[in-house]
Structures are given as C-alpha cells and as structure tokens.
Amino acid sequence: MTCGQYPGLFLLLLGLLHGSEETCPSICLCVSDTVSCSSSGLTRLSSSLPTFSVTLDLSHNHLTWLSPGSFNRMPRLENLQMAHNQLSTLSHGVFNNASGLRHLDLSSNKLLVVEQHYFQGLWRLEELLLFNNKIAQVEAGTLGGLSSLKKVYFSLNQITHFPFFSIQDHSHPFLTMLDLSSNRMTRLPWEDVKALPGLVQRGLYLHNNSLICDCSMYSVFWHWDLRGYDSIRDFADEHTCSIYGDPRASIRFLRHNRFFHNCTVEKTISQPVTVLLSNVLVSEGDRVRLDCQTSLSSTDLSFTWLSPNKGYLTEASINDSLISLFPNGTLEIQAAKVNDSGLYVCTAVDIKQALNATREVNVMVLLPAAQSFNTGYTTLLGCIVTTVVILVYLYLTPCRCTCCKQSNPPGIPIATYDPSTLSSVFCSSIRDQSKIQTNKHVAFMEPMMSEDGTEGTPESCP
Ligand SMILES: *[C@@H]1O[C@H](CO)[C@@H](O)[C@H](O)[C@H]1NC(C)=O
Ligand SMILES: *[C@@H]1O[C@H](CO)[C@@H](O)[C@H](O)[C@H]1NC(C)=O
Ligand SMILES: *[C@@H]1O[C@H](CO)[C@@H](O)[C@H](O)[C@H]1NC(C)=O
Ligand SMILES: *[C@@H]1O[C@H](CO)[C@@H](O)[C@H](O)[C@H]1NC(C)=O
Ligand SMILES: *[C@@H]1O[C@H](CO)[C@@H](O)[C@H](O)[C@H]1NC(C)=O
Ligand SMILES: *[C@@H]1O[C@H](CO)[C@@H](O)[C@H](O)[C@H]1NC(C)=O
Ligand SMILES: *[C@@H]1O[C@H](CO)[C@@H](O)[C@H](O)[C@H]1NC(C)=O
C-alpha cells in the first residue's frame, strides 16, 4: 500500500537533504524522521533502514524474528510499531542500544511468554502494547527497570497469573494504566492487588477474565466501584465471575450482587483497623438495622456512624425519632426511604486501648413494588428459571418474524458466556428489578393474550 513509485522520489529528496549515504528501502516511505514500512510484506528486517528514524512503522508485515541489536543503528528511535506481525518470541538484545524507545507496539503478534529480558534497558519506555498475542505467562522481572512506564496493555491474551507484586510506588511512579482484561485469571493474589499504588489500582482493568466468585474478590471490586473508577464504571457488564468456579454459572457481579450479601471481609489497613463490608437490600418503609460488629471485642466502645444523607450520627447528636443508635452500635432506621440508600460507615473506638475499627454497609432501598416483585421472584428457583425462560422468550419475540432468523442463531453455546440469563437465575440487582418491573406487564400479560398461536413464532415465521 505504502510502497510504490514515490519512495524513490523521497529517497532522492532525502539523499539531497541529508547529503549522506542514508537510504530508504524501496518498499518503505521515509518522511523526515519517520519511516513507514507498514504492509510491505517484510519477512525480515532490512539492514539498510535510515539511522535518523524517530518513528519506525513495521506493522502489518510477516516478521517472525528480530536479530539482536536490530535497532542499534537508530539512536534516535522513540516510536516503534510492530503490530500485526508473526513474532512469537524476542531474542536477547533485540532492543540493545534502543534505550530511547518511548512507545513500543507489539500488539497482535504471536508472543507466548513475556520473558524477563525482553524489555531490558528500556527505561524511557512509556507505553507498551502487548494486547492480542498468545501470552500465557508474564515473567516476574519483565516490568522491572521500566521506570517511566505510563500505560501497559496485556488485554486479549491467555494470562493466568500476573506478577502484581513487582509493581510498586517507587518502581513505577507514573503507571496509570495496567490493562489485564480479557485474559484467563481465575484467582488473583488480592493482597498484592490491594498493595498496588493507588494510581495503578485506579487504572487496573480486569474485566472479562475467568474470575471465581468469592468474598475477597468481591470486596476489592466493591471498593473500586464505590470510588467510581472508570475501569469499573465503563465495563460494569463485563465484570463477571463464576459461582463455585462453574463457568456456566457466570454472573455479572457488579450488577447482581445478591450472592455476596453475606460477605464480611476483613481488610487490614496497616494500622489495627478492620473493615467489614456488607450489602443490605430493603424496600421502602422497612425498618433497617445495621449492626456495627467489628473486630474489637471490648465492651466499652463508642460508636459513630457516617450516613450518606445525614452526615455523622452519634448517640448524642441524634434528634430524630426515626433513627436510633443503640449502645451496642446498632443503627436503626424506622422507615427507610429510597434516598437513605448509600454507604454507611460505622467507626467503633476503644478509647482505653486507642484502637478503632470500621464497618461499612452499603444500603439499597428499593421501591416497595419492585421489592414485592423481587421477593416473589426469588422464592423458588424452579419458578425463577421458568420466569427467565418466559422473559427470554418474550425478549426475543418483539422482533417476531422480521428478524427471528438472526435473533436465534443456531450456534449460541448454551449459556456459557451469557451472564444476562444465568445471572438472573442466581440473583437480580435493583437495576434489573426495576427494569423487570417496568416490563412487568409486557412479561406477564402478553403471553396470555397471545396464547392463541403467536407463541409458536419460530415455526410460524415465513
Ligand atoms: C551499543 O551499546 C554498546 C554498549 O552497551 C556500545 O559498546 C556500542 O558501541 C553501541 N553500539 C552502537 C552501534 O551504538
Ligand atoms: C472476552 O475475552 C474473550 C477471550 O478471552 C474474547 O474473545 C472476547 O472478545 C472478550 N469479550 C469482550 C466483551 O471483551
Ligand atoms: C445469608 O445469610 C442468611 C442468614 O444468615 C441466609 O439465610 C442466606 O441464605 C445467606 N445468603 C447467601 C447468599 O448465602
Ligand atoms: C430536637 O428537635 C426538636 C424538634 O423536633 C427541637 O425542638 C430541639 O431543639 C432539638 N434539639 C436539639 C438538641 O437539636
Ligand atoms: C443491639 O441492641 C439492639 C437493641 O437492644 C438489639 O435489637 C440488637 O439486636 C443489638 N445488636 C447486636 C448486634 O447485638
Ligand atoms: C428523602 O425523601 C423524603 C420523601 O420520601 C423527603 O421528605 C426528604 O426530604 C428526602 N431527603 C433528602 C435528604 O433528600
Ligand atoms: C482511627 O484510627 C486512625 C489511625 O489508626 C486515626 O487516624 C483515626 O482518627 C481514628 N478514628 C477515630 C474516629 O478515632
């Protein structure tokens, strides 16, 4: 594409401009400090690339191997694009004398292991693109020494373990993006993840892995969600985990958190501070009791609650017959309102021993109608399954004859990666309940009306 008659002309011009023996291979385009040999059918790197290159584009070729010191004649090289080649490994010293590199794109290749030596010496590297390879393993020392790193993309690989411990404040002070989404991680070393620098946690993308649902996993995402990280917000639906590790029982855990209601997770933050978290789901008008059981065992504790819409609540400050704080720390809301929803944080302080501990409770108050529907909806599993089948059926039917061929592709694997249906079997979030609520009439009235034959829509299609 980029090759043609013009490179010759550029070569001539450049020859004139540089007045040197710099050459531009005929299949490449050389423009000032940029050399593009993209989509040129290259199978090996030409040895005659201009030494003044700052940007070198070798993407969309057939490179399978790069010899040591491939770029050592290009001291000014900063930007190297090698996406869409056939590289399965990098030999020792490929980037010798290329320490000026700031942007390295090796995406869409066939790399299998990211070995420790691959990027040695690239201390100026800011952006490293490794997505869409076949990487199963990232060796522990790989990112060591890459102290300028800002963004690293490992998405769409087959990574099962990642050396989170190798990333620390002092080792990677500028790292704000670590993309590990769409890999094969089932369990993460959550203690290492929680120890990551704040900026890295904020920019850590983990959606679309094969996570196994458990409380330690959930608590980490629960906190990130509360902090409103983009990585969570933007991909809420792609955050899935499987119950008991069964990939068929995959749920979108940020949407459907009923499975985690009983999670109380201890999380020690340097000091003897313990955080327990849980979710409480009630309907409007219900009486809510939030206990403040913490790790502190003393009987002489004082309690403070921080509520989302009433600020700090202590025994002394409460002047509201609708709320009470018992001496044992339990906070009681007589009749919950929708706007009482939010995060309640209780701090228990043991004055004598100068210890304190907190407990966090995320309260969600639903409208009564939605809740009553919810209760009915969740009583019998068999019933739910039936309902889901009906709902699925009804969601498909609106497109009736016009598109029933597309809407029912034969190859859909049986719910392996369809969290939307499965998750409704295990749990349902408020959002979904309200959605179902609004569709309630559609869901339950229509099938009765249309029993006369439209039920058989798939067959009755032209
Ligand atoms: C590459 O770096 C080595 C030292 O690491 C140096 O001895 C050698 O001269 C350099 N080669 C070029 C072509 O700059
Ligand atoms: C999820 O990951 C798989 C591979 O693990 C990939 O094929 C798929 O496209 C990804 N889905 C999304 C929505 O990113
Ligand atoms: C949570 O605990 C309650 C009682 O302690 C129990 O009835 C309920 O089944 C538990 N829920 C889950 C999802 O484990
Ligand atoms: C408590 O509320 C009542 C009215 O409901 C008010 O008269 C009284 O001054 C309040 N006391 C405090 C300490 O705020
Ligand atoms: C705290 O006290 C209240 C009222 O006496 C009681 O209803 C509640 O169950 C107690 N909570 C705990 C955790 O013991
Ligand atoms: C919460 O809603 C109730 C009515 O349901 C209203 O009276 C009250 O002012 C609201 N409070 C806040 C803080 O918005
Ligand atoms: C709890 O302890 C931390 C340090 O351990 C302290 O900074 C904080 O002020 C304490 N909170 C209360 C309410 O005493």
Side-chain angles (χ1 to χ4, degrees), residues 157-458:
N157 278 294
Q158 293 155 19
I159 299 169
T160 52
H161 295 90
F162 186 83
F164 291 101
F165 62 86
S166 68
I167 295 172
Q168 283 158 15
D169 250 330
H170 60 272
S171 65
H172 298 90
F174 310 110
L175 191 60
T176 55
M177 162 74 79
L178 177 55
D179 184 359
L180 288 164
S181 61
S182 301
N183 274 287
R184 301 207 177 148
M185 292 187 277
T186 51
R187 291 186 195 281
L188 267 65
W190 293 113
E191 290 309 315
D192 294 349
V193 171
K194 285 187 280 188
L196 286 171
L199 282 177
V200 179
Q201 288 191 41
R202 181 174 281 273
L204 181 59
Y205 286 72
L206 288 171
H207 57 274
N208 195 21
N209 268 281
S210 326
L211 296 175
I212 294 173
C213 303
D214 66 26
C215 285
S216 49
M217 176 218 85
Y218 185 66
S219 85
V220 173
F221 285 99
W222 191 82
H223 280 102
W224 288 344
D225 192 18
L226 280 179
R227 289 177 208 159
Y229 289 176
D230 288 343
S231 54
I232 309 292
R233 291 272 154 94
D234 297 347
F235 296 95
D237 284 335
E238 278 83 41
H239 279 85
T240 54
C241 67
S242 54
I243 294 172
Y244 309 124
D246 181 351
R248 287 168 305 171
S250 177
I251 61 170
R252 297 178 189 173
F253 60 86
L254 294 174
R255 299 269 192 239
H256 310 279
N257 52 24
R258 239 193 56 204
F259 186 74
F260 303 97
H261 272 186
N262 291 352
C263 279
T264 51
V265 178
E266 296 210 15
K267 171 185 163 194
T268 31
I269 321 168
S270 61
Q271 294 292 315
V273 175
T274 303
V275 179
L276 295 155
L277 65 86
S278 51
N279 292 299
V280 169
L281 195 63
V282 295
S283 53
E284 187 156 62
D286 279 359
R287 188 167 62 168
V288 184
R289 273 196 185 155
L290 309 175
D291 70 62
C292 186
Q293 280 174 314
T294 64
S295 57
L296 301 183
S297 52
S298 162
T299 49
D300 188 16
L301 297 172
S302 67
F303 300 93
T304 311
W305 281 90
L306 177 59
S307 72
N309 64 0
K310 294 190 178 67
Y312 281 100
L313 302 170
T314 58
E315 260 184 289
S317 75
I318 292 179
N319 181 21
D320 183 341
S321 58
L322 295 175
I323 289 195
S324 23
L325 176 56
F326 300 115
N328 62 8
T330 296
L331 183 75
E332 186 178 82
I333 303 171
Q334 284 301 333
K337 303 210 172 51
V338 170
N339 60 15
D340 286 328
S341 298
L343 183 68
Y344 288 72
V345 182
C346 176
T347 307
V349 181
D350 180 343
I351 298 154
K352 279 192 205 126
Q353 298 193 52
L355 290 176
N356 63 22
T358 51
R359 161 139 207 178
E360 299 175 23
V361 187
N362 192 20
V363 176
M364 288 174 276
V365 184
L366 311 178
L367 285 169
Q371 177 63 15
S372 65
F373 184 72
N374 174 45
T375 356
Y377 194 58
T378 50
T379 33
L380 284 168
L381 192 64
C383 209
I384 297 161
V385 174
T386 319
T387 315
V388 170
V389 169
I390 294 171
L391 286 174
V392 167
Y393 166 64
L394 280 162
Y395 279 125
L396 291 178
T397 41
C399 51
R400 297 252 143 69
C401 298
T402 41
C403 62
C404 60
K405 277 181 200 116
Q406 303 161 255
S407 74
N408 207 356
I412 285 189
I414 187 88
T416 332
Y417 227 95
D418 191 1
S420 59
T421 45
L422 268 165
S423 54
S424 350
V425 174
F426 289 93
C427 54
S428 35
S429 75
I430 342 168
R431 274 164 256 193
D432 270 72
Q433 280 149 14
S434 45
K435 210 192 295 170
I436 289 162
Q437 175 66 12
T438 53
N439 288 333
K440 198 169 160 186
H441 298 290
V442 183
F444 289 102
M445 304 314 275
E446 264 199 7
M448 306 200 176
M449 315 288 280
S450 56
E451 246 165 1
D452 49 14
T454 26
E455 283 228 44
T457 29

